[in-house]
Each structure stands twice: as structure tokens, then as C-alpha cells.
Amino acid sequence: MGWTVGCLAAPMLLGVMFGPRWIAVGLLIGVLATLWLMLWLPRSAHRAFSTARFERAARRYRILAAFAFSGARERAALLSRAGCDVAAGRLERAEAALAAIDPATLETSERAVWLNNRACAALDAGRDPTAALAVADEAIGLRPDVPAIQHTRARALLAVGRLDDAIAVLDAMRAGGELAPQLEAERCRELATAWDRKGQADYASDYRERARLVAR
């Protein structure tokens, strides 16, 4: 609401200061700024995250949160920024941001992301994998169709030693089509780890090579 009011007020202010023709200029600037904020910036942030440019993605999500049109947009930006912090290894910052969010205020998809980020942070911090798996299971129950959440659950399954279950989940991740390069590389690395632990060195080597090629 605040952004919309500002976009309307700025052209009127320009008109008062410089004449009526500046109202049109101000309106054009406002429209372009709105399109930038609503269309280009979210896509650019998501693209940066999917290509492992986490610092850049986090900066753009910060802007999106600051100029959000609605509570839902603000929550989405905050959750995405926390995901960037988890991926970049800034676990304390990520967990503080997640702890500041009341899960009761979240929609189903938002809660799934919140749970997924918490599970990832717990696994990266080396905490109890059984507890992390319980959180990942809750997330997958809300959004079983999201490959990133499937990947987190597979990581937790690996951590508790359920190798066959982890492999099944990792194989199922591609059921909906091709994955983003970063996620596909991580999937292949997890499969290499699983097959190594099962004593299948050839399979493990194959998946490590796939991960290397995808991540280039």
C-alpha cells in the first residue's frame, strides 16, 4: 500500500513543483519502478539463487522485503533471504531470521519453506539428524512436489543411515522434469555419497562426474 501511495503522490508533487507536464513523467517513472520491483527483481533474485550467487540473491530479496506490496510478498522475501543465508553457511543469521517468523502466520507453502530452511540449517550445523528428518517430513507433507524439499529430506535420510530411502527420494526428484543446475549438482553429490556408503564405487564415481559436469 505504501509503495502505491508513493507512486501516486510523486507525480502530483512533480506537477506542483515543475508544472503539469511533469505529472506524466512522474507516472511513467512510477510505472517503470513498479514493473522493476514486481517483475524483474523477483526473477533476478531467484535466478541468482538457482545459480549459487547467494550474496547477490540475498541483497535482492532484502530489497523485495523492504518494498513489499503485501504481507505475503514480505514473508516470501524474508524466507528466501533466510534460504540464501543457509546456503551460504551463515547459519546463525538464518536461524535468527527463521525464529523471528511466527509459523502460525504462514500459508501452507510458506510454512513448507520455513520448515525446509530449518531442517537444512540443522543438518548443516551437524545437529540431531533424526530431529531434522522429522522437520523435513513435515515440510514434505505440506509440499511433496517441491524438489528442493525432497532434496532436504534425502539429506536427512542419508544422515540417519536410510540409504535406500534416500536414493529413492533423490531419483524421484527429477520426476517433474529437469532441475536447476545447482540443485542437480547437489542431487548427484548426495547420490554419490549414498552409493559410496553402499559399497558401489562405480555408481558413486559416475554421479560425482555428473555433479562436476553440471556444476561447471
Side-chain angles (χ1 to χ4, degrees):
M1 179 65 74
W3 177 269
T4 303
V5 171
C7 287
L8 293 174
M12 303 309 296
L13 182 60
L14 286 171
V16 170
M17 294 174 63
F18 302 111
R21 72 180 61 181
W22 282 91
I23 294 177
V25 174
L27 285 171
L28 178 61
I29 293 172
V31 168
L32 292 175
T34 301
L35 290 174
W36 175 80
L37 186 65
M38 292 187 68
L39 299 179
W40 182 86
L41 192 60
R43 293 175 183 176
S44 176
H46 298 334
R47 185 166 55 250
F49 183 86
S50 68
T51 53
R53 293 173 293 175
F54 302 121
E55 292 287 348
R56 179 179 299 182
R59 288 195 299 270
R60 292 175 181 176
Y61 287 126
R62 187 183 304 121
I63 296 170
L64 285 168
F67 293 98
F69 289 81
S70 65
R73 279 180 169 269
E74 181 180 11
R75 291 192 301 271
L78 290 173
L79 289 167
S80 294
R81 186 180 173 194
C84 291
D85 287 336
V86 172
R90 297 187 293 266
L91 301 182
E92 289 187 8
R93 182 192 297 182
E95 293 188 305
L98 294 168
I101 298 173
D102 180 2
T105 66
L106 301 177
E107 302 290 340
T108 298
S109 292
E110 295 168 345
R111 184 176 175 82
V113 174
W114 181 77
L115 289 164
N116 183 67
N117 286 344
R118 286 180 57 211
C120 283
L123 290 168
D124 289 347
R127 293 198 291 272
D128 180 10
T130 301
L133 177 58
V135 176
D137 281 341
E138 187 177 351
I140 208 75
L142 295 172
R143 288 301 305 270
D145 58 315
V146 178
I149 298 177
Q150 295 170 353
H151 176 254
T152 302
R153 182 167 181 264
R155 287 184 60 205
L157 288 167
L158 276 174
V160 299
R162 292 169 54 183
L163 302 181
D164 290 334
D165 289 338
I167 290 170
V169 172
L170 291 164
D171 285 341
M173 281 176 60
R174 296 189 64 182
E178 294 296 317
L179 302 174
Q182 177 209 348
L183 185 56
E184 173 62 9
E186 291 177 0
R187 186 187 78 91
C188 290
R189 291 188 195 104
E190 305 300 347
L191 281 165
T193 298
W195 285 113
D196 250 341
R197 290 171 61 182
K198 284 176 68 69
Q200 299 288 339
D202 289 343
Y203 279 161
S205 177
D206 179 60
Y207 277 111
R208 272 193 294 271
E209 179 63 10
R210 290 193 205 182
R212 185 187 69 80
L213 292 173
V214 172
R216 283 195 307 183

